Amino acid sequence: MKLWQAWNLKTKLVISFSFLFAVSFICSGVFYYYSSVTELKNQSLQLLGSNSAQISRSIELYTEDLEKLSLSVFNDAIIQKAVGQEEPGSVVEQADLSQQVTSHLLNLTVSWPAVQGIYLYPDKQRELIYFWSKRSPPVDYSIEQEPWYPYGDQGIRTPFILWPTMKENTITNFLGEKVFSLVRPINQINTGKRIGYMKIDIHADAFKNLVSFRGNNDSGDSLLYILTDRGQVVYDQRDELTGGKMTDLSGNDVSRLGSSGTIVLQGTQYLYGYYRSDYTRWSALILTPMDAITNKLKVIRNTVMGIEAIVMLLVFAFAWFIATGVTRPLRKMIVTMRHVERGDFTVRAEQTGNRNEIGLLGKVFNQMLDSLQDMIAKIYVAEIREKDARLVALQAQINPHFLFNTLTILKSLGRKGASEDVVAVTESLAHLFRYSLYDWNRTVELREELRLIESYIKIQKYRFQERISFETDIPESLMGCQVLRLTIQPLVENAVVHGLEKRKSGGVVSVRVRASSDTLNIEVADNGAGMDATVKNRLLRRFEDGGMHGSDADGEHMGIALANIQQRLRLVYGSEYGLSFGDVSGEGTAVVLKLPLRLEAKEARHEDHAD
């Protein structure tokens, strides 16, 4: 009994069930299976060979009708006149002739919905092409662009050739429609001299009506291919290789196939039926997976089911004993899980010491609970770090240097007695502080963020006078877009402090906003000294990390402010949004802020006026 308890669950099931099932299945199943597979295989091969021959004959009949259509075009008097003329007529005469040719071609193809176009190529006037097509060819289209030209290079001495499926060469074929073609020379009726060529494009979907085929089994796993002697796929029933080539089946392999047999493609064994038409020089190949034959072994299945019914009566007693041993510890595990469902993560599954699957399940379950407790603790720490990041951001946003410079401006204006300017600077500074007090993870309209920037620029104007200017390029329709608070103003401040502070004149800060699809792009650029490549690369790495750690002596405030914006954007919108550097012609720096495009307000805005 102790040995039984030490065995794992898999061993118990295998030993219990294998003894009773092995004798019955090995003796009866093997015999019926192999005899039935052989019989079904022979029947399937016979049916596949018959189907492939029937499909080839259908294509031959369609090709014969298509050849008759080409002869109708060939013998048309207007076509003979247009293709055989030695010299072009006047512009008006030529236009009238082209219109007559198009009209005749259209009339000839009324009863041929699959025909996509008919093209006529005169020998004498290579620059002229007469055609009727459902979609127009390219402007610079010529016969030299056709893969079958020169016609004689194909090595075929027949009245026509069938060119395999390829993408239709038209200017409006946006969906990649595919066609196969009948190509033949046009001879002058009186002399028999060749005067040009004709090409008839037929939509590849025409094969669907010609070779409608589901296979010789109910599973629908059979594959049908129409192939050339070179292994090119003219038609694939699943439309996966149409116009391409079967890489696992070369042209030589195709020519060596018999009428039926077995073949291995991509590691899978197939039964095949094959028939090559001497008229079209195309072959029909039908493949049925060998595994599909097992779906027809209903006789064997019924026999096995009968044996199973008898054996199950004997197995029932053993199954009851095994199920009891399996379910008892599982019930205890369910009780423990219900405690966890109610939020009690301190409970643990009972450890029986058994080394089977149930014991391993309890061990893994306990490890999962330990991981959940660690994850909860990490999330709590992450929230604390987020709050710390906001404090760092506040220090980066309203920094002591800016406050000192603003107070110096107020002092200077006060001495001059410019009381109105003192009031203006004070109101702008109050606006900056008041705006920074609200929840930074809330969104506001773009126009509110711009008013904040204008308050900041107004203060800096008193400091820099005419040395800097502020420009915007923002469509009015985007003014209502929702942006995260305090994400644009820090970029403007970086541009002023780190880009334009040392300029003596002509400094420009610009804000440009554009929308594309579901994205809002805000670019803040300056024409200052630019940014060193080392500093830019270091900032890009911090953007990728989304962290607040690390700084450099030259750009500590700038790095903290930009990294703070990047972190807030990723926390609110996700990792696909954030900051990047834009392209600047000449000197200067451009920072691009990528946000989701949201025009409606998600929550009420705080009023920005003073209490």
Side-chain angles (χ1 to χ4, degrees):
M1 193 63 180
K2 291 184 179 179
L3 180 61
W4 172 261
Q5 291 179 350
W7 285 345
N8 58 40
L9 183 60
K10 180 179 180 180
T11 303
K12 294 177 183 179
L13 292 174
V14 170
I15 292 177
S16 299
F17 289 94
S18 296
F19 177 77
L20 295 174
F21 276 83
V23 175
S24 60
F25 276 88
I26 290 176
C27 294
S28 60
V30 172
F31 173 76
Y32 286 109
Y33 179 78
Y34 283 105
S35 61
S36 299
V37 166
T38 302
E39 180 64 23
L40 284 175
K41 177 180 177 181
N42 293 333
Q43 293 178 3
S44 298
L45 289 175
Q46 183 178 3
L47 183 59
L48 288 172
S50 174
N51 283 339
S52 61
Q54 182 179 357
I55 289 172
S56 292
R57 182 53 185 160
S58 297
I59 297 176
E60 287 180 353
L61 293 175
Y62 187 82
T63 305
E64 289 174 0
D65 291 338
L66 194 60
E67 184 184 9
K68 293 177 182 178
L69 173 63
S70 70
L71 290 175
S72 298
V73 177
F74 183 102
N75 294 317
D76 187 276
I78 295 297
I79 305 300
Q80 285 282 323
K81 176 183 177 182
V83 178
Q85 62 180 347
E86 296 289 336
E87 297 293 336
S90 65
V91 174
V92 175
E93 292 174 347
Q94 194 63 43
D96 181 63
L97 183 59
S98 297
Q99 185 176 3
Q100 292 182 50
V101 170
T102 301
S103 177
H104 278 236
L105 294 177
L106 176 61
N107 291 334
L108 290 172
T109 57
V110 168
S111 60
W112 289 81
V115 173
Q116 297 297 102
I118 301 179
Y119 301 83
L120 307 175
Y121 310 92
D123 267 352
K124 295 296 184 179
Q125 303 179 58
R126 292 292 180 88
E127 71 279 1
L128 293 179
I129 296 179
Y130 301 96
F131 69 92
W132 167 85
S133 178
K134 295 180 180 179
R135 285 183 286 265
S136 299
V139 176
D140 57 348
Y141 175 67
S142 65
I143 191 173
E144 284 79 8
Q145 298 178 12
E146 291 295 334
W148 48 264
Y149 184 81
Y151 183 88
D153 291 352
Q154 304 305 319
I156 300 175
R157 297 296 181 264
T158 57
F160 65 92
I161 60 173
L162 289 176
W163 196 255
T165 306
M166 62 182 183
K167 181 180 177 182
E168 185 182 20
N169 185 18
T170 55
I171 59 177
T172 57
N173 189 13
F174 304 117
L175 300 179
E177 301 289 346
K178 298 177 181 179
V179 297
F180 66 95
S181 305
L182 183 145
V183 181
R184 70 179 304 152
I186 301 176
N187 298 329
Q188 199 170 45
I189 296 177
N190 297 333
T191 63
K193 178 183 177 183
R194 191 190 71 202
I195 56 176
Y197 293 97
M198 172 201 317
K199 183 188 72 165
I200 303 177
D201 285 343
I202 304 93
H203 201 290
D205 286 347
F207 284 110
K208 294 181 179 179
N209 297 325
L210 291 176
V211 297
S212 180
F213 175 78
R214 192 167 182 262
N216 65 319
N217 60 77
D218 296 332
S219 63
D221 292 332
S222 294
L223 306 175
L224 169 62
Y225 301 100
I226 306 300
L227 305 172
T228 67
D229 292 340
R230 298 179 181 178
Q232 295 172 287
V233 181
V234 180
Y235 174 71
D236 172 12
Q237 182 187 15
R238 297 185 178 182
D239 202 24
E240 295 175 354
L241 297 177
T242 301
K245 194 168 186 178
M246 293 188 69
T247 56
D248 293 341
L249 194 64
S250 64
N252 293 332
D253 294 334
V254 172
S255 61
R256 290 198 298 266
L257 292 177
S259 60
S260 62
T262 60
I263 190 173
V264 177
L265 296 176
Q266 296 181 346
T268 302
Q269 187 177 20
Y270 292 91
L271 302 179
Y272 74 85
Y274 174 81
Y275 188 88
R276 181 184 182 276
S277 169
D278 293 332
Y279 179 67
T280 63
R281 290 183 173 80
W282 286 351
S283 304
L285 176 64
I286 305 175
L287 302 175
T288 298
M290 190 71 178
D291 295 339
I293 294 181
T294 58
N295 296 331
K296 288 201 166 189
L297 302 180
K298 295 182 180 180
V299 176
I300 295 179
R301 184 192 66 185
N302 294 335
T303 303
V304 172
M305 289 179 62
I307 298 174
E308 286 179 342
I310 298 174
V311 173
M312 285 302 297
L313 295 176
L314 301 175
V315 174
F316 182 78
F318 290 94
W320 178 85
F321 174 75
I322 295 173
T324 302
V326 172
T327 56
R328 184 183 295 113
L330 288 177
R331 288 196 186 102
K332 295 180 180 180
M333 181 72 70
I334 290 173
V335 173
T336 304
M337 289 181 176
R338 285 175 178 169
H339 283 283
V340 176
E341 184 180 7
R342 290 193 291 268
D344 184 5
F345 294 97
T346 60
V347 297
R348 293 295 183 269
E350 180 182 350
Q351 296 292 314
T352 61
N354 293 338
R355 291 179 295 176
N356 56 27
E357 284 81 355
I358 300 299
L360 180 60
L361 178 62
K363 181 180 178 181
V364 173
F365 181 71
N366 291 338
Q367 291 176 350
M368 182 189 69
L369 290 177
D370 294 337
S371 299
L372 284 175
Q373 285 188 315
D374 292 341
M375 188 179 300
I376 292 173
K378 290 178 181 178
I379 292 175
Y380 177 75
V381 172
E383 291 178 351
I384 295 177
R385 289 179 178 175
E386 181 182 349
K387 293 180 181 179
D388 292 341
R390 293 184 180 184
L391 292 177
V392 173
L394 182 59
Q395 294 172 357
Q397 180 63 29
I398 307 298
N399 60 79
H401 295 289
F402 173 68
L403 182 59
F404 174 78
N405 291 333
T406 305
L407 294 176
T408 302
I409 293 172
L410 291 172
K411 178 181 176 181
S412 176
L413 293 174
R415 286 181 174 178
K416 294 178 181 180
S419 58
E420 292 183 0
D421 292 339
V422 170
V423 171
V425 173
T426 303
E427 287 179 347
S428 298
L429 183 62
H431 183 201
L432 288 173
F433 277 102
R434 184 167 58 251
Y435 193 86
S436 302
L437 295 178
Y438 297 120
D439 184 2
W440 289 18
N441 284 341
R442 291 179 63 256
T443 59
V444 296
E445 290 185 352
L446 178 60
R447 57 172 56 90
E448 291 190 25
E449 193 76 1
L450 289 176
R451 284 200 291 267
L452 179 70
I453 296 173
E454 291 172 355
S455 296
Y456 173 78
I457 292 295
K458 182 182 295 184
I459 295 174
Q460 295 292 23
K461 276 284 191 176
Y462 283 99
R463 178 186 174 192
F464 294 100
Q465 299 298 326
E466 300 301 324
R467 289 165 53 190
I468 66 171
S469 61
F470 177 62
E471 299 176 353
T472 60
D473 181 9
I474 306 173
E476 182 62 29
S477 60
L478 299 180
M479 283 295 187
C481 292
Q482 296 293 307
V483 298
L484 200 61
R485 279 179 171 270
L486 291 169
T487 51
I488 307 177
Q489 188 274 334
L491 302 180
V492 175
E493 182 176 354
N494 275 338
V496 173
V497 174
H498 300 282
L500 304 178
E501 192 171 35
K502 296 181 180 181
R503 284 189 69 102
K504 300 301 181 181
S505 63
V508 178
V509 181
S510 63
V511 176
R512 181 176 179 267
V513 181
R514 291 293 183 270
S516 61
S517 183
D518 57 351
T519 302
L520 184 69
N521 295 302
I522 303 174
E523 181 185 78
V524 178
D526 64 77
N527 62 346
M531 185 179 298
D532 183 76
T534 303
V535 176
K536 180 180 290 187
N537 291 333
R538 184 159 53 247
L539 288 175
L540 287 173
R541 288 195 296 270
R542 294 178 67 180
F543 290 170
E544 292 297 326
D545 295 339
M548 297 294 296
H549 58 278
S551 62
D552 56 89
D554 296 334
E556 181 175 1
H557 173 261
M558 174 175 62
I560 292 176
L562 296 180
N564 168 57
I565 296 174
Q566 180 77 344
Q567 184 187 45
R568 290 171 55 215
L569 291 173
R570 289 192 171 184
L571 286 172
V572 174
Y573 298 122
S575 59
E576 65 269 27
Y577 300 100
L579 295 176
S580 62
F581 289 104
D583 297 329
V584 179
S585 59
E587 59 183 6
T589 304
V591 180
V592 179
L593 183 66
K594 181 182 178 183
L595 300 172
L597 180 61
R598 297 177 181 173
L599 295 176
E600 70 280 2
K602 297 297 183 183
E603 50 189 328
R605 297 188 289 112
H606 284 294
E607 295 294 336
D608 289 332
H609 57 74
D611 294 336

